[in-house]
């Protein structure tokens, strides 16, 4: 009889847990048919409970003493008791005038542990497990935890992971819950395929998305494992890429990841419809705001008729207009672009409608996922705060700013309803990434032999958004020490403060007959004039330079004016206009900088320096990923009431004229070969970068061909006179290459987008050079992130 009752209870429990109410005439053990249809008890007795009060058990019952009940009430009571998650087994029986409820309490979780996990640590796994220590153990929750752990491993690219829960009994109805994990091999991505693309090559689109194919370097990166969230993000990246290149009809037909369980790899396929490329048609503006001047607002429009359509230009126009009308007192104004498409001529005409929007406020801004970055670093990128008028355009702008910081792998800003219809909650979900870098440069100089430097930098120091850099460089006859610090939000405003100190020692060698020791520093402020595109930088510099010599017979007479100690104190500014799509790896956009520096704020030097630097980037063959780069620059140095020292004049840099070493061109002492420097310099560079065909894409190798033009001339007359007259112990000589004499070089480079960071090697040959020039055939440099 007892076995039958136990079997009955087991079947009943199974039915209850499955959510199906059992229809059984024997639901009441010991009752006849008539009694089973309706029964009355005088009291309820609870047995088997140790931690849970009897009154708590009774409160879950639908049966009450003195009230008739039947099978439906028994079934409902069983369901309710099991649904609490407090009991492993429940039995309800009538004994005379009493209803006996016998329970077996679920055990208490004493400890939760993980075994076999190496790729995901205990802290990460504990975050996905719902069961907690000192809580009731339920098998349903354990099974849910198993699925959560498996999902965590799938998101880390391990689809062969298995999890087996083990329950170890302890005293006093306590248990230890152990998850035994077999992580399995990582599930890689065998191939990424694009179907339907004709305007851009597979390789170009592969550069747009974050997912990568598995290859030789898979052990150094994580983006070659399948992640459904990353796949969703990749689709958005593809959409934005096409929209910004004028393909307004672009759409993703499907994005599918097929798992080959036998090979443990994924095949990812994007099927797209590119559509046609559009240009802008008519551009118009209409406003219902009476106090806003339409013509003044038109100046904020960045879209021009005839240009290739770009969603980014439309977004920035909306941002500029929104901020402008907000400053004029229209906090709730909305700017809505309305597009009219001319499919035949492939034109998109835009009308910007400016009107008063609904009065909705930001109730709260929730920031989630910032384990390292301080919350205020994220909040300061918003042009709206809690309590301000809600504006979706400004949220999109904040999202773009946060992504541009390069502190985060992913940034998503969403909204939800607030406590009332006119309140909105803003949710900011971020995923952090490493922001430290270690860089190196290696080269060979005919003057200093092998030279190199190591740079350590952190772009988000202590999670405060601050930038620090430390650099140490050395060669056979030189040492360089530098330290820099930047606070991007000085005094809580969008003004950057930068501090820089350095020490540079150069010893005499075969081509430099003097020792140079320079110690200095600078402080600068950066002020945005037009969002992040136009900036004004103000700088103060001070440095002490000490030049000595120990071989008078090798000293150029032109260096006499530079010998000894000299203190330079200067102020300056630079105006920078930057529309590049990326600061690290630009493919499109323009950079222009105009700078002037006045030395004479105390110290010994008096001069005015003016320099210009311009760069343009354009995708020449987007379908093949070929990028064209043009760069030009120049400068003029004017002494103010006194002669210029040789060390104050411009010197050649091997970054703008490859194929020649540092100080490799320009005015030079014909006897000693010492570089004298010049008051003028110009340079121009043309380069094309392209992927190397035939090599696996995952290697990250690309090539470049370039030609450089440059000239440095017109040393200060006082320096030239000392060369000719033989000032001091120097022997008279002549000045070489003092006039305008262009040099030209050409070569090729190899870039490697390695897991350690970008590395580049350049090979350059001088085509036009002068007597006395110092050449440099090879240079390599790069860096990594940590």
């Amino acid at each position: 009889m007892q076995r039958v009752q136990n079997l009955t209870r087991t079947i009943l429990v199974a039915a209850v847990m499955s959510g199906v109410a059992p229809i059984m005439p024997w639901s009441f053990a010991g009752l006849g048919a008539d009694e089973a249809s309706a029964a009355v008890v005088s009291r309820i007795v609870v047995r088997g409970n140790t931690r849970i009060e009897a009154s708590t058990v009774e409160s879950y019952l639908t049966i009450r003493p003195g009230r008739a009940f039947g099978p439906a009430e028994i079934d409902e009571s069983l369901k309710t008791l099991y649904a609490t998650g407090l009991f492993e087994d429940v039995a309800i029986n009538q004994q005379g005038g009493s209803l006996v409820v016998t329970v077996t309490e679920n055990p208490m979780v004493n400890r939760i542990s993980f075994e076999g996990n190496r790729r995901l640590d205990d802290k990460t796994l504990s975050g996905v497990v719902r069961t907690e220590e000192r809580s009731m153990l339920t098998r349903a929750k354990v099974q849910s935890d198993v699925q959560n752990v498996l999902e965590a491993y799938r998101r880390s690219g391990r689809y062969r992971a298995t999890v087996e829960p083990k329950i170890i009994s302890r005293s006093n109805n306590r248990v230890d819950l152990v998850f035994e994990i077999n992580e399995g091999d990582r599930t890689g991505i065998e191939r990424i395929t694009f179907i339907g693309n004709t305007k851009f090559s597979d390789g170009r689109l592969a550069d747009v998305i974050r997912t990568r194919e598995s290859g030789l370097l898979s052990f150094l990166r994580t983006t070659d494992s399948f992640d459904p969230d990353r796949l969703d993000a990749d689709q958005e990246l593809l959409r934005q890429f096409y929209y910004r290149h004028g393909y307004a009809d672009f759409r993703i037909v499907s994005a599918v990841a097929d798992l080959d369980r036998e090979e443990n790899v994924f095949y990812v396929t994007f099927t797209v419809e590119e559509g046609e490329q559009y240009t802008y048609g008519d551009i118009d503006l209409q406003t219902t705001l009476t106090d806003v001047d339409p013509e003044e607002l038109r100046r904020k429009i960045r879209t021009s008729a005839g240009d290739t359509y770009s969603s980014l230009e439309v977004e920035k126009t909306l941002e500029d207009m929104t901020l402008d009308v907000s400053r004029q007192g229209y906090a709730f104004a909305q700017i809505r672009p309305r597009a009219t498409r001319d499919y035949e001529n492939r034109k998109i005409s835009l009308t910007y409608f400016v009107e008063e929007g609904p009065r909705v406020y930001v109730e709260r801004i929730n920031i989630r996922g910032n384990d390292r970055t301080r919350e205020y670093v994220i909040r300061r990128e918003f042009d709206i705060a809690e309590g301000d008028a809600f504006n979706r355009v400004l949220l999109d702008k904040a999202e773009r700013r946060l992504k541009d910081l390069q502190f985060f792998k992913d940034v998503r800003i969403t909204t939800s309803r607030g406590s009332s219809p006119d309140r909105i909650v803003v949710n900011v979900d971020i995923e952090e990434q490493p922001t430290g870098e270690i860089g190196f440069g290696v080269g060979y100089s005919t003057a200093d032999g092998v030279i190199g430097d190591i740079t350590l930098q952190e772009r988000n120091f202590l999670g405060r958004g601050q930038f620090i850099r430390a650099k140490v460089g050395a060669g056979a006859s030189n040492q360089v020490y530098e330290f820099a610090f930047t606070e991007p939000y000085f005094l809580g405003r969008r003004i950057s403060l930068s501090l820089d100190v350095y020490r540079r020692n150069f010893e005499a060698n075969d081509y430099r007959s003097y020792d140079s020791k320079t110690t200095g520093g600078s402080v600068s402020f950066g002020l945005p004039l037009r969002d992040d595109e136009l900036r004004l930088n103000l700088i103060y510099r001070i440095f002490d330079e000490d030049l000595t010599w120990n071989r008078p017979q090798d000293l150029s007479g032109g260096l006499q004016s530079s010998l000894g100690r000299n203190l330079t104190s200067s102020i300056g500014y630079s105006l920078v206009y930057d529309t590049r799509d990326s600061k690290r790896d630009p493919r499109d956009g323009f950079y222009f900088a105009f700078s002037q520096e006045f030395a004479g704020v105390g110290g010994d030097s008096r001069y005015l320096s003016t320099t210009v630097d311009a760069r343009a980037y354009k995708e020449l063959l987007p379908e093949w990923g070929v990028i064209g780069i043009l760069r030009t620059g120049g400068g003029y140095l004017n002494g103010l009431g006194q002669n210029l020292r040789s060390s104050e004049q411009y010197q050649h840099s091997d970054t703008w004229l490859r194929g020649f070493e540092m100080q490799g061109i320009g005015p030079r002492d014909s006897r000693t070969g010492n570089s004298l420097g010049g008051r003028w310099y110009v340079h121009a560079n043309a380069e094309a970068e392209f992927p190397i065909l035939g090599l696996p894409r995952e290697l990250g190798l690309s090539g470049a061909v370039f030609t450089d033009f440059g000239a440095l001339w017109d040393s200060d007359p006082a320096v030239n006179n000392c060369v000719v007259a033989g000032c001091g112990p120097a022997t008279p000589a002549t000045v070489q290459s003092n006039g305008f004499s262009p040099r030209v070089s050409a070569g090729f480079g190899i870039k490697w987008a390695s897991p350690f960071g970008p590395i580049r090697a350049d090979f350059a040959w001088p085509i036009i050079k002068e007597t006395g020039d110092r050449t440099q055939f090879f240079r390599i440099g790069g860096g990594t992130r940590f």
Side-chain angles (χ1 to χ4, degrees):
M1 183 62 181
Q2 183 63 39
R3 290 183 178 179
V4 173
Q5 289 182 345
N6 290 340
L7 178 60
T8 300
R9 186 182 304 118
T10 301
I11 296 174
L12 184 60
V13 169
V16 171
M17 294 300 292
S18 65
V20 179
I23 304 176
M24 300 179 183
W26 31 263
S27 294
F28 294 91
L31 296 181
D34 295 337
E35 294 175 309
S37 60
V40 178
V41 293
S42 59
R43 67 190 184 110
I44 297 175
V45 178
V46 178
R47 295 175 180 170
N49 56 312
T50 57
R51 293 188 303 270
I52 302 170
E53 296 291 336
S55 58
T56 301
V57 177
E58 292 182 31
S59 67
Y60 290 113
L61 300 175
T62 59
I63 303 171
R64 296 291 180 265
R67 184 185 304 172
F69 63 93
E73 286 76 17
I74 289 290
D75 292 343
E76 185 65 28
S77 296
L78 286 169
K79 288 181 180 179
T80 304
L81 288 171
Y82 276 112
T84 64
L86 301 175
F87 309 107
E88 183 178 4
D89 193 14
V90 180
I92 300 178
N93 294 287
Q94 184 177 5
Q95 296 181 4
S98 300
L99 186 71
V100 179
V101 181
T102 305
V103 298
T104 301
E105 295 175 346
N106 276 324
M108 183 75 71
V109 178
N110 178 60
R111 186 172 65 92
I112 299 175
S113 62
F114 304 91
E115 295 181 358
N117 56 310
R118 292 181 300 169
R119 303 298 178 180
L120 298 181
D121 56 25
D122 289 2
K123 181 180 179 182
T124 301
L125 295 178
S126 296
V128 302
V129 169
R130 294 172 52 204
T131 303
E132 299 177 352
E133 294 180 355
R134 294 182 297 279
S135 68
M136 290 288 188
L137 178 72
T138 66
R139 299 190 181 277
K141 190 180 292 185
V142 170
Q143 290 304 316
S144 176
D145 289 340
V146 168
Q147 294 304 315
N148 291 340
V149 172
L150 287 174
E151 181 64 23
Y153 273 100
R154 289 178 184 133
R155 290 186 178 277
S156 67
R158 295 182 179 273
Y159 278 73
R160 282 189 172 178
T162 60
V163 180
E164 184 177 355
K166 293 293 182 64
I167 299 175
I168 303 174
S169 299
R170 301 297 184 191
S171 59
N172 300 323
N173 199 25
R174 295 177 300 120
V175 295
D176 290 342
L177 177 59
V178 180
F179 293 95
E180 292 186 353
I181 300 171
N182 180 0
E183 295 181 319
D185 296 329
R186 191 168 67 158
T187 307
I189 295 179
E190 180 67 18
R191 187 170 61 250
I192 300 175
T193 304
F194 296 91
I195 298 175
N197 55 306
T198 58
K199 310 299 183 182
F200 298 94
S201 66
D202 289 3
R204 181 66 184 96
L205 297 183
D207 288 339
V208 174
I209 64 177
R210 292 172 54 196
T211 302
R212 293 288 180 263
E213 292 180 355
S214 300
L216 298 176
L217 304 176
S218 294
F219 67 97
L220 293 173
R221 59 191 177 199
T222 60
T223 55
D224 62 344
S225 60
F226 177 69
D227 184 338
D229 290 340
R230 190 187 302 128
L231 185 65
D232 292 340
D234 286 343
Q235 294 180 64
E236 184 60 28
L237 289 173
L238 287 172
R239 290 189 191 95
Q240 293 301 323
F241 173 76
Y242 272 94
Y243 292 162
R244 291 176 180 181
H245 284 79
Y247 295 90
D249 293 332
F250 171 82
R251 74 185 188 96
I252 296 177
V253 178
S254 64
V256 180
D258 294 320
L259 175 61
D260 185 332
R261 296 188 179 277
E262 183 175 343
E263 298 294 331
N264 194 34
V265 294
F266 271 99
Y267 293 86
V268 178
T269 304
F270 295 93
T271 304
V272 303
E273 288 184 3
E274 294 177 315
E276 298 293 336
Q277 188 180 51
Y278 286 81
T279 58
Y280 291 111
D282 296 332
I283 307 297
D284 194 13
L285 181 143
Q286 297 182 17
T287 177
T288 60
L289 306 181
T290 57
D291 296 334
V292 173
D293 183 4
E295 294 305 317
E296 183 69 24
L297 206 54
R298 287 180 190 274
R299 297 190 181 97
K300 303 294 182 181
I301 297 178
R302 304 190 183 203
T303 52
S304 301
D307 291 349
T308 301
Y309 171 80
S310 171
S311 63
L312 182 61
E313 292 177 345
V314 177
E315 291 171 12
K316 291 188 174 182
T317 296
L318 297 178
E319 294 169 4
D320 292 345
M321 286 186 174
T322 299
L323 290 174
D324 188 68
V325 297
S326 295
R327 296 188 188 102
Q328 299 184 49
Y330 292 93
F332 297 95
Q334 289 186 344
I335 294 93
R336 303 178 185 274
R338 183 173 298 172
T340 303
R341 300 193 189 190
D342 181 349
Y343 293 97
E344 182 178 355
N345 297 311
R346 297 196 296 273
K347 292 182 179 293
I348 295 180
S349 298
L350 286 176
T351 300
Y352 294 96
F353 289 91
V354 185
E355 57 191 1
E356 190 74 20
R359 294 183 173 271
V360 180
Y361 298 88
V362 177
E363 178 176 318
R364 188 172 64 257
I365 299 178
N366 296 325
I367 298 176
R368 302 177 296 210
N370 56 317
D371 297 329
R372 179 168 175 264
T373 305
R374 309 293 178 93
E375 187 168 304
Y376 69 82
V377 173
I378 300 170
R379 288 184 178 273
R380 68 192 183 189
E381 299 300 329
F382 286 76
D383 287 324
I384 58 176
E386 291 163 340
D388 288 351
F390 172 77
N391 193 299
R392 181 71 238 185
V393 172
L394 298 184
L395 290 187
D396 294 338
K397 181 180 181 180
E399 183 171 329
R400 179 166 52 83
R401 278 180 175 173
L402 289 171
K403 290 179 179 178
D404 289 344
L405 290 176
Q406 298 184 14
F407 296 171
F408 314 111
K409 283 185 179 179
D410 189 28
V411 178
R412 288 179 295 172
I413 299 181
T414 58
T415 59
S416 57
R417 295 185 60 180
S419 58
S420 60
D422 64 343
R423 295 290 186 270
I424 284 182
V425 175
V426 176
N427 300 307
V428 184
D429 293 288
I430 65 173
E431 182 182 355
E432 296 183 305
Q433 68 178 2
T435 54
E437 296 182 10
I438 179 170
F440 70 91
V442 179
Y444 179 81
S445 167
T446 53
D448 296 310
V450 178
I451 56 177
D453 59 69
I454 297 177
T455 303
L456 296 174
Q457 69 180 40
E458 168 60 55
R459 292 179 289 108
N460 188 14
F461 182 59
L462 298 179
R464 301 174 183 270
Q466 299 166 334
F467 172 87
I468 62 170
R469 182 185 70 244
K471 177 180 178 180
V472 177
S477 59
N478 66 79
Q479 302 87 41
V480 177
Y481 311 93
E482 295 180 2
F483 179 80
F485 169 83
T486 299
E487 168 54 65
Y489 274 77
F490 182 58
L491 299 178
R493 298 182 178 273
R494 192 175 285 274
I495 299 174
S496 64
L497 167 66
S498 298
L499 303 174
D500 181 35
V501 293
Y502 58 87
R503 171 79 173 184
R504 299 166 185 161
N505 299 330
F506 295 92
E507 300 173 1
N509 55 34
D510 292 341
Y511 300 105
R512 185 174 54 243
S513 55
Y514 59 88
D515 295 339
S516 170
K517 295 181 179 179
T518 306
T519 304
S522 65
V523 56
S524 61
F525 296 91
L527 297 83
L529 301 182
R530 183 183 178 185
D531 199 16
D532 297 324
E533 292 184 354
L534 184 63
R535 293 183 66 85
L536 174 64
N537 299 317
L538 306 174
I539 185 171
Y540 170 75
R541 290 198 308 144
I542 184 170
F543 61 92
D544 179 78
E545 185 179 49
D546 186 13
L547 302 183
T548 60
W549 78 98
N550 53 16
R551 293 183 297 179
Q553 70 278 9
D554 296 333
L555 181 67
S556 168
L559 297 177
Q560 287 296 312
S561 61
S562 298
L563 295 177
R565 298 189 63 176
N566 187 83
L567 180 67
T568 300
S569 176
S570 68
I571 58 173
Y573 73 92
S574 64
L575 197 62
V576 179
Y577 178 69
D578 191 355
T579 63
R580 293 175 297 175
D581 57 352
S582 170
K583 302 298 186 292
R584 297 174 63 90
D585 191 18
R587 290 177 173 270
D588 187 75
F590 184 71
Y591 174 90
F592 176 81
F594 177 84
S595 305
Q596 285 191 307
E597 181 182 11
F598 167 70
V601 188
D604 304 313
S605 300
R606 300 287 187 276
Y607 61 79
L608 177 65
S609 171
T610 303
T611 60
V612 174
D613 182 19
R615 310 170 204 171
Y617 302 84
K618 183 69 175 177
E619 289 187 292
L620 301 179
L621 298 172
E623 63 274 19
W624 297 107
V626 179
I627 305 168
I629 304 172
L630 293 177
R631 180 181 177 185
T632 185
Y636 172 64
L637 189 65
N638 183 29
L640 302 177
Q642 66 182 47
N643 297 324
L644 291 169
R645 304 163 70 239
S646 176
S647 61
E648 292 172 340
Q649 301 186 82
Y650 297 125
Q651 296 286 352
H652 160 251
S653 169
D654 59 356
T655 59
W656 53 263
L657 182 57
R658 287 161 286 194
F660 297 84
E661 67 179 42
M662 293 287 291
Q663 301 184 5
I665 68 169
R668 191 177 302 277
D669 187 305
S670 63
R671 184 181 64 85
T672 65
N674 293 151
S675 175
L676 304 175
R679 295 187 295 175
W680 290 88
Y681 81 91
V682 294
H683 70 88
N685 318 87
E687 181 172 320
E689 295 184 1
F690 50 86
I692 300 178
L693 300 178
L695 292 180
R697 193 82 185 180
E698 65 269 14
L699 291 180
L701 289 172
S702 60
V705 292
F706 58 83
T707 180
D708 295 345
F709 160 90
L712 174 69
W713 75 98
D714 193 20
S715 184
D716 189 273
V719 173
N720 299 340
N721 291 337
C722 274
V723 172
V724 175
C727 295
T731 303
T734 59
V735 178
Q736 294 178 321
S737 302
N738 193 44
F740 175 76
S741 179
R743 277 76 161 177
V744 177
S745 66
F748 67 91
I750 298 176
K751 295 176 62 178
W752 181 28
S754 76
F756 305 104
I759 298 175
R760 174 162 180 159
D762 284 318
F763 304 83
W765 291 266
I767 298 176
I768 299 177
K769 64 180 181 177
E770 296 293 330
T771 302
D773 288 348
R774 311 300 183 188
T775 63
Q776 179 177 266
F777 167 69
F778 172 74
R779 179 174 175 81
I780 185 172
T784 186
R785 177 175 298 177
F786 64 90

